[in-house]
Amino acid sequence: KEWEQRFVSQKLVSDAEAVLTELVADGEAAAKAAGMLTADDKSEFLKSLHLRTLAHVLEKHMEQKGAKVEDIFGVMTKQGAASKADFVAFCNTLPEFTGNIQATFTEEQAGAMYTLLVGTESSLTLLKLSDLFKDHKICSVRTTLFDKVDEGSDIGTIEVGEGIKVLQTKEKGSNLVVRCILARDGAQVWAVLRSPDGENFRDVSSTVGRMESIEAFITGAHQRCVEAATYADQKTATVAREKQGPLAEARQPLMTIRQKIGVEQFKLEQVKSSVAAARGAVFALRSNEVQRLQEARCRAFGEKVIKDSTERVGKAEELAAKTIDEAKALTPESIKDASISKLDGISTESDQALQLLAEARRVIQCALGAEEFEGPSKSLLIETRVALSKLSSQVAATERKCKAATESVRRVVRDATDAARKALRAAARRSGKTSDELFTEMAAGKNEATQAQFRAFVKALKDASLTDERVSLVYRLFGAHGLKRPGFASALQEFCTCQKTVSITDKLETSASSTLRRLELGELFEVLEGPTEDGTKMERVRGRALRDGALGWVSVRGNQGTSYLRPAEKPFLWCAERVDLTDRLGKNDVVRSIACGEVLELLEGPSEKSGEPEILLHGKANNDGAKGWFVQRAADGTLCASPSKRFYVCQSIIAMTDNFDIGACKVTRKVEKGEILEALD
């Protein structure tokens, strides 16, 4: 039928022309979008990439740390709004804060990002920063765009993969429409967010890149062009089978349209290729930026580390050299004749020099262990690493020289300090008072004693016989930053650790004594008297085992040279978490709570807490017949259940009456077998 063929022929040509018209419009729009990206000036795209990088880096950091935007803003500023200076300073710390070198920006770039974030406002608020991570969507279904929500005109489409920033949503009939900003060019448009057919957009956690949106737009146009070309080829092949008639006449127009579609396809392929190249160029620019910035950071880091380390090493070596010269000037004979104060001064300077050298070595080791020496920047810091390694070797050599030159001086001072401490300890023991009582008297009830108070205290002790120089040695050892009660106790009290199991006896003479118990390996023992030799020439001390407070005599070493005890520091404990302080072992009477971080002086223990075993009974509840096990007596001795004489179990059916007198009573009810009765009278 000729009229049907003519209708089909006209329809084919008109549809193809409509598709071509749409493709031409798409091509022009694609070329316009691409023109922004392919232009020589790519600064705006770099700014957009900077902001997107910032968003992605912060988003990843928050995921890893379980943080929120509020936490990030709190790091940026403690005020209600962040100034440009606050934001720039925050950006300068981003590589260290996030552990991501991609978060490296110049101050100029940080300032540009700040401008983009604040918009028309004067400062960056938490709300503005939060906008970076919310109300962003990506197109999942090609959707038509409108200039108005009501009676708006069609102004194009948004392609799959393009991003938008949601500004406003509104119900319109059965659709949910959205006013949004297109990521590809910043235009404000309206689009259908959700229709009865489903969602046209899906949520994304942070901004979608502008370049990615442009590329998605061009890819969508190119894909439709490919589909149109395929469709035109199919229809042209269909009409080509017709030798004459209206359908045959449509062949030439369709071929012409197909050629034009091919031209548009070629144009879009070129645009797509140029956009991909331009996008790659922008990322290359950013990569080069990061590389340059990282190199600059590495150079600055290396220079600072070497400068700081060199200064520290220089100060330490200067003091060490002075100490070494003073020590070398002393001969073995002159050391014997030198005053303790002079030797102590050299020893103190030596300790200070060694401490400075140790601090310098720690700084160098920390620098060598810094993250900058790993990863992509490793090769940029080879010279810095070599310089730091040389400084480390230099410090080690100076330490060895300082220790060797001053060892004899420090040994004399150490021996003098030990002798003074022993004399002080012996005199304090003879006073018959505890270290707490002596400290209270010395410090006049205060928490800290001055050197003058300590000197007066020593002079008041009977038979102490210590010069002021030697008193100063003890004070400086235990009260360098002020003599407090724990330091005073450490100076007066003597503790040992058992290094070989030995008996605690009740008397000095082993032959005439009884064993109280064995002092086990690792136990702490406080010396209260001695050392004293018994009849067999064994050195023995009287004291107290801290584990259980056992008092008795213990051999320090046997007559064959076996060592049973070795000196130990006074034990203190640091509280790792909150715990209750009770008045007695095994009791629950709480004196007070010990907070985390408090320091406790060990008076006795550690002791094992033992209690009575729990007693369990198997029983049945009378009210519902439930069977099970229950605690009769708890481990702390608490009695939870006990036999009772007030309850009776009915063995056979019996009457319950209202009166004791069986002759004058009335039956109230029958008591069934197995019922429980409680005696009231």
Side-chain angles (χ1 to χ4, degrees):
K1 297 177 181 179
E2 184 177 347
W3 67 270
E4 290 180 349
Q5 290 185 358
R6 187 169 301 283
F7 174 80
V8 172
S9 173
Q10 292 174 352
K11 179 66 173 172
L12 286 174
V13 173
S14 63
D15 287 350
E17 288 175 342
V19 169
L20 177 60
T21 301
E22 185 178 350
L23 290 176
V24 170
D26 287 346
E28 292 173 352
K32 181 180 178 182
M36 296 182 288
L37 181 55
T38 56
D40 293 336
D41 184 9
K42 294 181 172 54
S43 58
E44 292 302 316
F45 287 92
L46 271 173
K47 291 178 183 178
S48 175
L49 181 58
H50 293 156
L51 193 60
R52 184 185 174 213
T53 301
L54 174 68
H56 285 187
V57 167
L58 291 180
E59 180 184 21
K60 185 176 180 181
H61 174 76
M62 288 188 288
E63 288 177 359
Q64 291 174 342
K65 302 297 183 180
K68 299 179 180 179
V69 181
E70 291 84 349
D71 302 321
I72 300 295
F73 191 77
V75 174
M76 189 182 301
T77 180
K78 303 301 180 185
Q79 308 300 322
S83 65
K84 185 175 182 179
D86 292 333
F87 183 78
V88 171
F90 172 73
C91 288
N92 286 337
T93 65
L94 275 176
E96 294 79 17
F97 179 66
T98 62
N100 191 333
I101 63 171
Q102 294 301 319
T104 306
F105 305 100
T106 64
E107 291 189 3
E108 182 181 355
Q109 291 167 353
M113 288 191 292
Y114 181 82
T115 301
L116 289 174
L117 285 171
V118 300
T120 57
E121 296 185 10
S122 59
S123 58
L124 180 61
T125 61
L126 175 60
L127 183 61
K128 280 289 185 181
L129 183 63
S130 300
D131 281 344
L132 199 58
F133 306 98
K134 67 179 184 180
D135 296 332
H136 295 281
K137 294 181 180 292
I138 191 169
C139 181
S140 54
V141 178
R142 182 171 179 254
T143 305
T144 302
L145 301 176
F146 303 93
D147 57 355
K148 297 178 182 178
V149 65
D150 296 316
E151 299 180 357
S153 302
D154 181 344
I155 56 173
T157 59
I158 182 170
E159 301 293 338
V160 175
E162 284 194 70
I164 63 169
K165 167 70 174 175
V166 176
L167 299 178
Q168 176 187 354
T169 57
K170 183 177 181 180
E171 296 285 348
K172 184 180 180 183
S174 59
N175 295 332
L176 177 65
V177 295
V178 59
R179 184 168 67 90
C180 59
I181 299 175
L182 294 179
R184 70 170 181 252
D185 58 8
Q188 288 194 21
V189 297
W190 287 87
V192 177
L193 190 65
R194 184 180 65 240
S195 69
D197 295 330
E199 300 283 347
N200 295 333
F201 295 83
R202 59 181 174 83
D203 292 328
V204 287
S205 54
S206 61
T207 179
V208 180
R210 184 180 179 187
M211 291 184 293
E212 288 76 11
S213 292
I214 291 175
E215 198 166 26
F217 179 73
I218 294 170
T219 299
H222 178 263
Q223 181 62 33
R224 287 196 305 282
C225 200
V226 171
E227 293 170 356
T230 302
Y231 175 80
D233 287 339
Q234 292 173 349
K235 296 305 177 183
T236 301
T238 299
V239 299
R241 290 194 289 269
E242 300 292 332
K243 302 300 181 182
Q244 59 182 359
L247 286 176
E249 294 172 0
R251 179 184 177 189
Q252 187 59 43
L254 285 175
M255 291 179 64
T256 302
I257 292 172
R258 173 62 182 86
Q259 290 175 350
K260 292 180 180 180
I261 290 175
V263 171
E264 294 301 321
Q265 182 178 350
F266 177 73
K267 290 180 181 178
L268 282 171
E269 285 174 351
Q270 286 187 315
V271 170
K272 185 178 179 182
S273 177
S274 63
V275 164
R279 180 170 176 264
V282 172
F283 276 102
L285 286 173
R286 175 57 186 161
S287 179
N288 291 335
E289 279 182 356
V290 172
Q291 180 67 20
R292 287 195 304 272
L293 290 170
Q294 189 63 14
E295 288 177 0
R297 290 176 68 88
C298 286
R299 284 194 298 271
F301 170 78
E303 291 170 0
K304 182 178 184 302
V305 164
I306 291 176
K307 180 182 177 183
D308 291 347
S309 300
T310 302
E311 288 178 355
R312 284 180 176 271
V313 172
K315 290 179 181 179
E317 287 188 331
E318 183 180 352
L319 182 57
K322 178 176 178 293
T323 305
I324 291 171
D325 290 341
E326 291 177 348
K328 285 183 176 180
L330 294 172
T331 63
E333 291 75 18
S334 61
I335 288 178
K336 295 178 182 178
D337 298 332
S339 66
I340 288 296
S341 59
K342 180 179 180 180
L343 297 178
D344 184 43
I346 296 174
S347 177
T348 301
E349 285 184 352
S350 172
D351 291 340
Q352 291 173 350
L354 290 172
Q355 183 178 354
L356 288 175
L357 288 167
E359 289 175 357
R361 187 174 63 252
R362 281 195 296 271
V363 169
I364 293 171
Q365 293 303 319
C366 288
L368 287 171
E371 292 181 1
E372 283 80 357
F373 285 103
E374 302 298 331
S377 308
K378 188 175 182 179
S379 60
L380 302 174
L381 292 167
I382 292 177
E383 292 182 3
T384 302
R385 179 180 286 276
V386 171
L388 290 175
S389 298
K390 288 181 178 179
L391 280 174
S392 182
S393 300
Q394 184 178 330
V395 167
T398 305
E399 280 182 318
R400 289 193 296 270
K401 290 179 182 178
C402 187
K403 287 179 180 178
T406 60
E407 175 57 30
S408 57
V409 173
R410 287 187 288 115
R411 183 169 56 251
V412 171
V413 173
R414 188 167 54 247
D415 291 345
T417 304
D418 290 342
R421 185 185 177 191
K422 288 180 181 178
L424 175 60
R425 185 186 296 146
R429 287 174 183 169
R430 286 193 292 271
S431 71
K433 297 180 180 179
T434 65
S435 63
D436 275 344
E437 292 171 340
L438 292 173
F439 183 84
T440 301
E441 292 178 6
M442 176 184 66
K446 295 183 179 179
N447 294 326
E448 184 176 322
T450 64
Q451 187 167 354
Q453 287 175 318
F454 183 68
R455 189 180 297 117
F457 160 74
V458 175
K459 286 183 177 180
L461 286 175
K462 186 178 180 181
D463 299 329
S465 302
L466 291 174
T467 64
D468 288 348
E469 286 182 342
R470 295 179 182 271
V471 172
S472 296
L473 292 178
V474 178
Y475 183 86
R476 188 159 52 253
L477 180 62
F478 294 97
H481 304 290
L483 186 60
K484 296 181 173 61
R485 194 178 297 271
F488 181 75
S490 297
L492 297 188
Q493 293 177 296
E494 182 181 3
F495 291 87
C496 295
T497 300
C498 178
Q499 58 182 8
K500 186 176 178 61
T501 303
V502 64
S503 297
I504 303 176
T505 64
D506 59 349
K507 296 178 182 178
L508 169 64
E509 297 295 336
T510 54
S511 58
S513 62
S514 301
T515 299
L516 301 177
R517 73 170 180 86
R518 304 283 288 178
L519 190 67
E520 301 297 336
L521 183 68
E523 271 197 74
L524 283 170
F525 189 77
E526 181 183 3
V527 178
L528 303 176
E529 182 182 338
T532 305
E533 288 187 353
D534 67 355
T536 61
K537 302 298 182 181
M538 281 200 302
E539 193 175 276
R540 290 166 61 77
V541 292
R542 188 180 72 86
R544 177 178 68 96
L546 264 67
R547 192 183 77 184
D548 56 3
L551 288 167
W553 289 85
V554 172
S555 298
V556 177
R557 62 178 54 84
N559 48 22
Q560 300 298 320
T562 303
S563 179
Y564 296 105
L565 301 178
R566 59 179 172 83
E569 293 296 325
K570 178 176 175 60
F572 291 94
L573 300 176
W574 181 82
C575 187
E577 60 181 47
R578 196 198 71 80
V579 67
D580 289 334
L581 183 68
T582 58
D583 60 347
R584 285 180 293 171
L585 178 66
K587 298 298 181 181
N588 294 324
D589 298 330
V590 177
V591 177
R592 73 173 180 89
S593 292
I594 306 298
C596 177
E598 282 197 66
V599 176
L600 301 176
E601 177 185 353
L602 181 61
L603 300 178
E604 185 177 330
S607 299
E608 294 182 359
K609 178 182 177 182
S610 59
E612 294 291 332
E614 287 186 339
I615 296 179
L616 303 178
L617 298 177
H618 190 255
K620 181 177 72 172
N622 291 317
N623 59 345
D624 59 2
K627 294 182 179 180
W629 291 87
F630 62 94
V631 178
Q632 183 191 28
R633 189 184 67 197
D636 61 0
T638 303
L639 196 62
C640 303
S642 61
S644 174
K645 296 180 180 180
R646 295 173 49 239
F647 293 91
Y648 297 86
V649 179
C650 182
Q651 299 294 324
S652 61
I653 298 175
I654 191 173
M656 178 182 288
T657 64
D658 62 351
N659 198 311
F660 175 76
D661 188 354
I662 193 70
C665 66
K666 293 181 180 179
V667 176
T668 56
R669 76 173 182 87
K670 289 191 298 183
V671 180
E672 301 293 338
K673 183 178 180 180
E675 279 195 72
I676 305 297
L677 299 175
E678 180 182 2
L680 301 178
D681 295 318

